[in-house]
Amino acid sequence: MSGLSTHILDTSAGCPAANVQIELFKDGTVMKQCRTNSDGRTDEPLIASGELATGTYELHFHAGDYFRKSAGTKDTILFLDVVVIRFGINAVDQHYHVPLLLSPFGYSTYRGS
């Protein structure tokens, strides 16, 4: 099974990050816009099985909006606003999972399964 998926965990709160806007780009063009559900995942894959193409992609996670809403802060300047992860896909027959572990002051990602 091939394709692309993601999920977001709010490590500062110890729970999935719900209602986070995500944008997927390829070659500077928006391919998809969606939001995470209550489990911190998208309701459908970012790229479905069989539709993956080689190339460089970017995921834009709108963390600032999420933290403003979840913390109830009115701060206009946060340490993290839009988290951008640029990654490459070179094997279209594989599945790529790009999770985001997120806090107001840092993040981590890896190639998941």
Side-chain angles (χ1 to χ4, degrees):
M1 181 160 117
S2 65
L4 174 65
S5 59
T6 190
H7 76 274
I8 307 171
L9 296 176
D10 179 344
T11 58
S12 64
C15 63
N19 201 30
V20 178
Q21 181 180 343
I22 301 171
E23 296 167 319
L24 173 65
F25 291 80
K26 184 172 189 287
D27 301 325
T29 302
V30 177
M31 292 182 63
K32 187 169 200 158
Q33 295 179 338
C34 58
R35 290 191 173 272
T36 55
N37 58 26
S38 62
D39 196 33
R41 299 177 183 276
T42 58
D43 288 333
E44 57 188 41
L46 296 170
I47 300 176
S49 183
E51 296 179 11
L52 204 56
T54 60
T56 302
Y57 293 80
E58 285 186 2
L59 282 170
H60 293 201
F61 298 93
H62 291 260
D65 292 342
Y66 166 76
F67 286 121
R68 282 183 196 94
K69 289 176 189 169
S70 65
T73 181
K74 303 252 189 260
D75 292 342
T76 56
I77 300 174
L78 299 177
F79 183 70
L80 292 175
D81 194 1
V82 179
V83 174
V84 177
I85 300 173
R86 182 178 291 157
F87 58 97
I89 291 179
N90 63 2
V92 297
D93 60 333
Q94 296 181 17
H95 183 78
Y96 289 78
H97 183 69
V98 182
L100 180 66
L101 306 177
L102 183 63
S103 84
F105 302 103
Y107 66 91
S108 178
T109 190
Y110 55 93
R111 181 176 174 193
S113 58

PDB file of all heavy atoms in Angstrom, residues 4-17:
ATOM      1  N   LEU A   4       0.373   8.768   1.322  1.00  0.00           N
ATOM      2  CA  LEU A   4       0.941   9.691   2.294  1.00  0.00           C
ATOM      3  C   LEU A   4      -0.087   9.993   3.370  1.00  0.00           C
ATOM      4  O   LEU A   4      -1.248  10.293   3.064  1.00  0.00           O
ATOM      5  CB  LEU A   4       1.357  10.992   1.603  1.00  0.00           C
ATOM      6  CG  LEU A   4       1.846  12.128   2.491  1.00  0.00           C
ATOM      7  CD1 LEU A   4       3.156  11.754   3.186  1.00  0.00           C
ATOM      8  CD2 LEU A   4       2.022  13.400   1.671  1.00  0.00           C
ATOM      9  N   SER A   5       0.349   9.920   4.626  1.00  0.00           N
ATOM     10  CA  SER A   5      -0.534  10.237   5.743  1.00  0.00           C
ATOM     11  C   SER A   5       0.250  11.002   6.806  1.00  0.00           C
ATOM     12  O   SER A   5       1.483  11.074   6.761  1.00  0.00           O
ATOM     13  CB  SER A   5      -1.135   8.956   6.347  1.00  0.00           C
ATOM     14  OG  SER A   5      -0.099   8.092   6.788  1.00  0.00           O
ATOM     15  N   THR A   6      -0.474  11.563   7.770  1.00  0.00           N
ATOM     16  CA  THR A   6       0.137  12.303   8.864  1.00  0.00           C
ATOM     17  C   THR A   6      -0.747  12.237  10.091  1.00  0.00           C
ATOM     18  O   THR A   6      -1.925  11.841  10.008  1.00  0.00           O
ATOM     19  CB  THR A   6       0.394  13.782   8.477  1.00  0.00           C
ATOM     20  OG1 THR A   6       1.204  14.390   9.484  1.00  0.00           O
ATOM     21  CG2 THR A   6      -0.905  14.552   8.326  1.00  0.00           C
ATOM     22  N   HIS A   7      -0.194  12.596  11.219  1.00  0.00           N
ATOM     23  CA  HIS A   7      -0.977  12.857  12.422  1.00  0.00           C
ATOM     24  C   HIS A   7      -0.179  13.813  13.289  1.00  0.00           C
ATOM     25  O   HIS A   7       1.029  13.970  13.111  1.00  0.00           O
ATOM     26  CB  HIS A   7      -1.365  11.584  13.176  1.00  0.00           C
ATOM     27  CG  HIS A   7      -0.263  10.956  13.959  1.00  0.00           C
ATOM     28  ND1 HIS A   7       0.641  10.052  13.403  1.00  0.00           N
ATOM     29  CD2 HIS A   7       0.107  11.100  15.250  1.00  0.00           C
ATOM     30  CE1 HIS A   7       1.494   9.670  14.329  1.00  0.00           C
ATOM     31  NE2 HIS A   7       1.193  10.292  15.465  1.00  0.00           N
ATOM     32  N   ILE A   8      -0.866  14.477  14.233  1.00  0.00           N
ATOM     33  CA  ILE A   8      -0.219  15.458  15.099  1.00  0.00           C
ATOM     34  C   ILE A   8      -0.565  15.136  16.552  1.00  0.00           C
ATOM     35  O   ILE A   8      -1.739  14.973  16.895  1.00  0.00           O
ATOM     36  CB  ILE A   8      -0.695  16.897  14.791  1.00  0.00           C
ATOM     37  CG1 ILE A   8      -0.544  17.222  13.307  1.00  0.00           C
ATOM     38  CG2 ILE A   8       0.092  17.897  15.635  1.00  0.00           C
ATOM     39  CD1 ILE A   8      -1.192  18.534  12.910  1.00  0.00           C
ATOM     40  N   LEU A   9       0.475  15.075  17.379  1.00  0.00           N
ATOM     41  CA  LEU A   9       0.294  14.915  18.813  1.00  0.00           C
ATOM     42  C   LEU A   9       0.789  16.168  19.512  1.00  0.00           C
ATOM     43  O   LEU A   9       1.900  16.634  19.251  1.00  0.00           O
ATOM     44  CB  LEU A   9       1.063  13.695  19.323  1.00  0.00           C
ATOM     45  CG  LEU A   9       0.616  12.350  18.778  1.00  0.00           C
ATOM     46  CD1 LEU A   9       1.531  11.238  19.294  1.00  0.00           C
ATOM     47  CD2 LEU A   9      -0.824  12.066  19.145  1.00  0.00           C
ATOM     48  N   ASP A  10      -0.041  16.715  20.381  1.00  0.00           N
ATOM     49  CA  ASP A  10       0.327  17.871  21.189  1.00  0.00           C
ATOM     50  C   ASP A  10       1.028  17.329  22.432  1.00  0.00           C
ATOM     51  O   ASP A  10       0.381  16.882  23.377  1.00  0.00           O
ATOM     52  CB  ASP A  10      -0.920  18.675  21.546  1.00  0.00           C
ATOM     53  CG  ASP A  10      -0.636  19.889  22.407  1.00  0.00           C
ATOM     54  OD1 ASP A  10       0.466  19.978  22.992  1.00  0.00           O
ATOM     55  OD2 ASP A  10      -1.528  20.747  22.527  1.00  0.00           O
ATOM     56  N   THR A  11       2.361  17.348  22.430  1.00  0.00           N
ATOM     57  CA  THR A  11       3.112  16.763  23.542  1.00  0.00           C
ATOM     58  C   THR A  11       3.018  17.607  24.812  1.00  0.00           C
ATOM     59  O   THR A  11       3.235  17.091  25.900  1.00  0.00           O
ATOM     60  CB  THR A  11       4.585  16.541  23.153  1.00  0.00           C
ATOM     61  OG1 THR A  11       5.168  17.779  22.767  1.00  0.00           O
ATOM     62  CG2 THR A  11       4.698  15.531  22.023  1.00  0.00           C
ATOM     63  N   SER A  12       2.685  18.882  24.678  1.00  0.00           N
ATOM     64  CA  SER A  12       2.543  19.726  25.874  1.00  0.00           C
ATOM     65  C   SER A  12       1.260  19.401  26.626  1.00  0.00           C
ATOM     66  O   SER A  12       1.189  19.561  27.845  1.00  0.00           O
ATOM     67  CB  SER A  12       2.580  21.207  25.501  1.00  0.00           C
ATOM     68  OG  SER A  12       1.479  21.555  24.680  1.00  0.00           O
ATOM     69  N   ALA A  13       0.244  18.939  25.924  1.00  0.00           N
ATOM     70  CA  ALA A  13      -1.039  18.598  26.552  1.00  0.00           C
ATOM     71  C   ALA A  13      -1.224  17.088  26.698  1.00  0.00           C
ATOM     72  O   ALA A  13      -2.137  16.639  27.380  1.00  0.00           O
ATOM     73  CB  ALA A  13      -2.196  19.177  25.732  1.00  0.00           C
ATOM     74  N   GLY A  14      -0.370  16.313  26.011  1.00  0.00           N
ATOM     75  CA  GLY A  14      -0.476  14.860  26.095  1.00  0.00           C
ATOM     76  C   GLY A  14      -1.687  14.295  25.381  1.00  0.00           C
ATOM     77  O   GLY A  14      -2.293  13.333  25.832  1.00  0.00           O
ATOM     78  N   CYS A  15      -2.044  14.921  24.237  1.00  0.00           N
ATOM     79  CA  CYS A  15      -3.226  14.456  23.506  1.00  0.00           C
ATOM     80  C   CYS A  15      -3.068  14.758  22.014  1.00  0.00           C
ATOM     81  O   CYS A  15      -2.202  15.531  21.609  1.00  0.00           O
ATOM     82  CB  CYS A  15      -4.481  15.126  24.050  1.00  0.00           C
ATOM     83  SG  CYS A  15      -4.498  16.914  23.844  1.00  0.00           S
ATOM     84  N   PRO A  16      -3.937  14.163  21.192  1.00  0.00           N
ATOM     85  CA  PRO A  16      -3.922  14.504  19.764  1.00  0.00           C
ATOM     86  C   PRO A  16      -4.274  15.972  19.563  1.00  0.00           C
ATOM     87  O   PRO A  16      -5.025  16.561  20.345  1.00  0.00           O
ATOM     88  CB  PRO A  16      -5.015  13.601  19.168  1.00  0.00           C
ATOM     89  CG  PRO A  16      -5.225  12.519  20.163  1.00  0.00           C
ATOM     90  CD  PRO A  16      -4.924  13.120  21.505  1.00  0.00           C
ATOM     91  N   ALA A  17      -3.706  16.560  18.533  1.00  0.00           N
ATOM     92  CA  ALA A  17      -3.988  17.963  18.200  1.00  0.00           C
ATOM     93  C   ALA A  17      -5.131  17.997  17.188  1.00  0.00           C
ATOM     94  O   ALA A  17      -4.950  17.670  16.010  1.00  0.00           O
ATOM     95  CB  ALA A  17      -2.745  18.643  17.644  1.00  0.00           C
TER      96      ALA A  17
END
